[in-house]
Structure formats: structure tokens, C-alpha cells
């Protein structure tokens, strides 16, 4: 049952709401800038620099394996930071997670490669990737609450989408940087130092994010939890005892979008360059343009979910994603830049219809006193099933089935799990 904390709507200044939107957006943008740069480099150069064994497929799989580490470590961050977020507050925890993600990413840009220090290089890469994942595990749940708990319930879909705009915006920034580098640098220059510059530039996002978050007050909802002494002392155990349905509903609902996003922002870079023989710049530019469209389409989908039942918008995107994947691989039987762009854009529009309403839909499933922990656990555990293993499985599938049929089945199954999750969710007035 929802806490009485939210029965009375708190007075909220629009200035605070806009600052909360910016604070939420900046953190998730950094998170996904880091992940997008890492994913792109895993697809394009990390196999050669950190896992050289003469086999490009094996090197790519190993690089995607370190990409997966960032997802596998997320539940630790979700448990640790989610619990703190329900005990000490949303704002404090989000400063810590931003610092952890930013420092780990910056250091990756300074790492020596295999040719310099041997096996120490991939070990350090995995450790830093692990630290990134821990920070990310605590970031999303808090970022969602930072914007949604400053908003009115009837506008929650739009304002909570701030955290969801972070992935395409971070992807846009990352692939924009990589696209510029691919145009002005030779392949040798990019492999030598260009990829490092992309990681080091993340420091700018960290500085901006910290400036915004330090200037922001705690959310009105958490302030009332403190005033009424309704904070939980053991939010993780309470989630599993009393709100497990909400947890599994949120977990399943996230799987389809996670797999789809991994396919069309990470795997597609390796697929287009290594299997279709397309220029690296074509692959990066297609993801960059499609991500730019998502920056506007995700908040639109969140806004639409405030006017139309959230689960309906989400379900339309889920069904569309399963169908569109077949269309994409059929089009790519004759690969051109135009077809690649249309294919990636169509997939990310379907993703937007799921991702826009997602933050508010999942957060609304949990009571206010357990919401940071519940949202974080749903996000992080879904990431293991959806995001962590997806690039590895996608690369494996395409290695023995270039037609992409098994990839289509994989994404279709992921979308079925998402529809099951949606069926398990409840409208806020049912809670």
C-alpha cells in the first residue's frame, strides 16, 4: 500500500522542478556517455588493444565480456546505494554515484594497453568497468526519483523521463565525439590516442552534474518521510517480503528495452563494420542521428503516457520492437547507409515508446519509503538479463547465422517477457 506521504501534494516551485530535471538528466547522460563510449570502443578497438590473440571475433567477444561486467556489478550498487537512498536521502547518494562513475571513466582513458603491461591491462580495465557498474546501479533509481518526486502525479511521466533521456543524449554525445574523431583522425591515430580523449572528456559532464546536484534541495517526498519518521531501516528485505510483485514486474518490463538498446546502439557497430563491411563512420553516424531523434521522442512518450495509460504506450513500443527487428535484418541483406539509418532509427523509436513511460511506471509500483531501493533493484537485475549478456549473445548468434534470424527470435522472446512484466504492473490508483 502506498505511503500516506504522497496523499498531500507538496508545494513545488517550478525552478526546483527544472533543476531536478537537469540534475537527473546530467547524471544519466554521464552514465550513458561512459557506457556508449565503452561499448563503441569494445566493438571497434578494445579487442585489439586489451585482448590481442589474432582472432578478431574472439577479441570482440572478450571486449563485450568486460562490457557485461558493468552490468553484472550493478546489483551491488543497486543494493548498497538504493538502501542508502531510502535512509539518508536521494540527493546525497546521487553525488556519490556521480563521482564514482566519473572517476572510473576518466581513469580508463589513462590505462596502459596489453602491449605495455601485458595481462595487467585487461585486469585494470575490468576493475574500472566493475566500479562504473556499481555507480550506475545506484544512479538510475535516484535520478528517476529526483525528477519524479518534485513533480505532480499527473505529470510524472514527462518529468521522470529526464532520467530516460540520459541514454540517448549520452549516446549522442559519445557517438558524436567518436564520429568527429573518425572523420579527422586516421585509424592509427584513433587506436593510438583518439579513444582515450573520448573517455577523458567525460570530466566535463562530471563537473556540470556535481554543480547542479550540490545546488539542489532534497526531494519533497523524502523530506516528509523524515518528518513523519517513516523511513525504512531494512528496505531490501522489506522489498522482497512485501513488494516482490512490483520488483518482478519492473524487472521483466525492462528486459525487452535493454536487449533492444544493446542491439541497436552497441552490437550494431560491430555488425555493420565487421559483418557487413561498412565504414566505421557510417555505423557511428547512424547511431548518432537515431539517438538525436530519441532525445526528443522519449520525453514526448513520457508526456503521452500522462494522457494515455502508460502500459498501453509501453506495449505498443514492445510489439513494434519485436516486429521491426525482422524488418531491419531483411533490409540489411543489401546494406547501405540509408537502410542502416532507417533500421536503427525505427528500432530506437520503438525503444522510446517503452523507455519514455518506463521510469514513472516502475517508480509508481513501490511505496515512497522503499522506492529508491525497489526501482534500483528492478533496474539492475534486469540489466544482467537484458544488457549484460545481450552483446555477447548477439555476436555469437550472428557468427553462425548471418541472416540475423536467431537475433530476431532472441529480441522477440525478450519482448514477450516485457509484456508479461507489463501485465503484472498496477496502475497507481490500484496500489
Amino acid at each position: 500500500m502506498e505511503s500516506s506521504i504522497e496523499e498531500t501534494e507538496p508545494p513545488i516551485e517550478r525552478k526546483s522542478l527544472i533543476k531536478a530535471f537537469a540534475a537527473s538528466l546530467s547524471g544519466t547522460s554521464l552514465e550513458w556517455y561512459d557506457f556508449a563510449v565503452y561499448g563503441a570502443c569494445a566493438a571497434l578497438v578494445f579487442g585489439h588493444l586489451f585482448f590481442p590473440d589474432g582472432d578478431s571475433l574472439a577479441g570482440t567477444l572478450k571486449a563485450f565480456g568486460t562490457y557485461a561486467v558493468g552490468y553484472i556489478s550493478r546489483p551491488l550498487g543497486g543494493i548498497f546505494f538504493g538502501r542508502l537512498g531510502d535512509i539518508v536521502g536521494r540527493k546525497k547518494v546521487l553525488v556519490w554515484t556521480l563521482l564514482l562513475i566519473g572517476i572510473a571513466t576518466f581513469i580508463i582513458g589513462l590505462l596502459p594497453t596489453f602491449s605495455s603491461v601485458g595481462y595487467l591491462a585487461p585486469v585494470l580495465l575490468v576493475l574500472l568497468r566493475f566500479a562504473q557498474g556499481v555507480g550506475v546501479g545506484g544512479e538510475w533509481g535516484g535520478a528517476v526519483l529526483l525528477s519524479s518526486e518534485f513533480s505532480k502525479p499527473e505529470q510524472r511521466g514527462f518529468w521522470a523521463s529526464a532520467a530516460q533521456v540520459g541514454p540517448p543524449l549520452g549516446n549522442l554525445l559519445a557517438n558524436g565525439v567518436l564520429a568527429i574523431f573518425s572523420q579527422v583522425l586516421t585509424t592509427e591515430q584513433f587506436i593510438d590516442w583518439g579513444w582515450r580523449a573520448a573517455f577523458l572528456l567525460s570530466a566535463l559532464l562530471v563537473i556540470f552534474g556535481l554543480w547542479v546536484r550540490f545546488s539542489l534541495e532534497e526531494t519533497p517526498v523524502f523530506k516528509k518521510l523524515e518528518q513523519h519518521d517513516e523511513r525504512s531501516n531494512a528496505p531490501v528485505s522489506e522489498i522482497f517480503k512485501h513488494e516482490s510483485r512490483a520488483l518482478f514486474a519492473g524487472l521483466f518490463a525492462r528486459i525487452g528495452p535493454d536487449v533492444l538498446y544493446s542491439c541497436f546502439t552497441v552490437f550494431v557497430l560491430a555488425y555493420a563494420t565487421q559483418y557487413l563491411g561498412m565504414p566505421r563512420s557510417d555505423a557511428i553516424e547512424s547511431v548518432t542521428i537515431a539517438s538525436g531523434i530519441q532525445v526528443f521522442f522519449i520525453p514526448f512518450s513520457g508526456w503521452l503516457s500522462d494522457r494515455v495509460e502508460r502500459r498501453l504506450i509501453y506495449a505498443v513500443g514492445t510489439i513494434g520492437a519485436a516486429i521491426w527487428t525482422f524488418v531491419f535484418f531483411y533490409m540489411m541483406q543489401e546494406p547501405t547507409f540509408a537502410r542502416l539509418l532507417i533500421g536503427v532509427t525505427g528500432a530506437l523509436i520503438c525503444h522510446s515508446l517503452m523507455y519514455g513511460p518506463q521510469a514513472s511506471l516502475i517508480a509508481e509500483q513501490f511505496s515512497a519509503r522503499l522506492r529508491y531501493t525497489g526501482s534500483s533493484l528492478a533496474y539492475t537485475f534486469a540489466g544482467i538479463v537484458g544488457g549484460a549478456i545481450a552483446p555477447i549473445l548477439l555476436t555469437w548468434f550472428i557468427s553462425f547465422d548471418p541472416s540475423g534470424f536467431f537475433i530476431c527470435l532472441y529480441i522477440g522472446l525478450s519482448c514477450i517477457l516485457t509484456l508479461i512484466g507489463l501485465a503484472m504492473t498496477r496502475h497507481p490508483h490500484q496500489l
Side-chain angles (χ1 to χ4, degrees), residues 49-50 52 110-122 192 196:
L49 294 175
F50 290 91
L110 302 175
L111 280 183
T113 60
F114 188 91
S115 62
S116 300
V117 295
Y119 287 102
L120 180 61
D192 184 36
R196 295 183 183 278

Side-chain angles (χ1 to χ4, degrees), residues 223-242:
K223 284 182 178 180
K224 286 199 169 186
L225 285 171
E226 286 185 305
Q227 292 170 4
H228 292 78
D229 195 25
E230 291 192 22
R231 290 174 295 171
S232 171
N233 292 321
V236 176
S237 60
E238 283 198 51
I239 286 289
F240 284 99
K241 287 180 181 178
H242 305 300

Side-chain angles (χ1 to χ4, degrees), residues 106-162:
F106 189 84
I107 295 175
I108 288 176
L110 302 175
L111 280 183
T113 60
F114 188 91
S115 62
S116 300
V117 295
Y119 287 102
L120 180 61
V123 169
L124 292 174
L125 182 65
V126 169
L127 288 175
L128 289 169
R129 182 65 175 164
F130 187 90
Q132 272 187 329
V134 171
V136 169
E139 171 69 26
W140 185 82
V144 167
L145 302 191
L146 202 61
S147 53
S148 66
E149 289 186 348
F150 272 99
S151 68
K152 298 178 181 179
E154 64 270 20
Q155 298 176 348
R156 194 176 286 152
F158 172 75
W159 291 106
S161 71

Side-chain angles (χ1 to χ4, degrees), residues 113 149 160-162 233 245-246 251 264 279 307 313 335 364 377 384 413 424-425:
T113 60
E149 289 186 348
S161 71
N233 292 321
R245 170 176 170 165
L251 191 160
F264 286 96
R307 286 149 182 79
I313 303 297
E364 287 168 345
L377 291 180
I384 293 177
L413 176 61
M424 294 172 63
T425 59

Side-chain angles (χ1 to χ4, degrees), residues 40-272:
C41 289
L44 300 173
V45 299
F46 277 0
H48 169 70
L49 294 175
F50 290 91
F51 306 95
D53 61 1
D55 185 332
S56 62
L57 174 61
T60 300
L61 284 170
K62 290 176 182 177
F64 280 153
T66 61
Y67 179 84
V69 167
Y71 281 90
I72 294 170
S73 60
R74 284 185 182 187
L76 294 177
I79 292 170
F80 179 74
F81 289 116
R83 178 179 179 276
L84 286 178
D86 282 326
I87 295 175
V88 305
R90 304 0 180 170
K91 174 186 171 178
K92 291 179 181 178
V93 172
L94 286 171
V95 170
W96 301 337
T97 58
L98 187 68
L99 279 171
L100 180 56
I101 298 169
I103 291 171
T105 302
F106 189 84
I107 295 175
I108 288 176
L110 302 175
L111 280 183
T113 60
F114 188 91
S115 62
S116 300
V117 295
Y119 287 102
L120 180 61
V123 169
L124 292 174
L125 182 65
V126 169
L127 288 175
L128 289 169
R129 182 65 175 164
F130 187 90
Q132 272 187 329
V134 171
V136 169
E139 171 69 26
W140 185 82
V144 167
L145 302 191
L146 202 61
S147 53
S148 66
E149 289 186 348
F150 272 99
S151 68
K152 298 178 181 179
E154 64 270 20
Q155 298 176 348
R156 194 176 286 152
F158 172 75
W159 291 106
S161 71
Q164 308 300 82
V165 178
L169 184 57
N171 227 348
L172 181 64
L173 292 172
N175 285 290
V177 167
L178 293 172
I180 293 172
F181 285 173
S182 68
Q183 294 292 336
V184 302
L185 300 178
T186 65
T187 300
E188 291 73 21
Q189 289 173 325
F190 182 78
I191 292 174
D192 184 36
W193 61 267
W195 67 272
R196 295 183 183 278
F199 280 96
L200 298 177
L201 285 171
S202 67
L204 299 177
L205 281 173
V206 175
I207 293 170
F208 175 75
L210 288 174
W211 174 69
V212 174
R213 290 186 179 186
F214 274 121
S215 65
L216 188 67
E217 294 183 0
E218 185 55 79
T219 71
V221 171
F222 187 80
K223 284 182 178 180
K224 286 199 169 186
L225 285 171
E226 286 185 305
Q227 292 170 4
H228 292 78
D229 195 25
E230 291 192 22
R231 290 174 295 171
S232 171
N233 292 321
V236 176
S237 60
E238 283 198 51
I239 286 289
F240 284 99
K241 287 180 181 178
H242 305 300
E243 301 192 15
S244 58
R245 170 176 170 165
L247 175 61
F248 285 102
L251 191 160
F252 286 145
R254 280 195 56 93
I255 290 175
D258 276 5
V259 173
L260 186 75
Y261 201 71
S262 292
C263 181
F264 286 96
T265 61
V266 178
F267 166 76
V268 74
L269 297 174
Y271 172 67

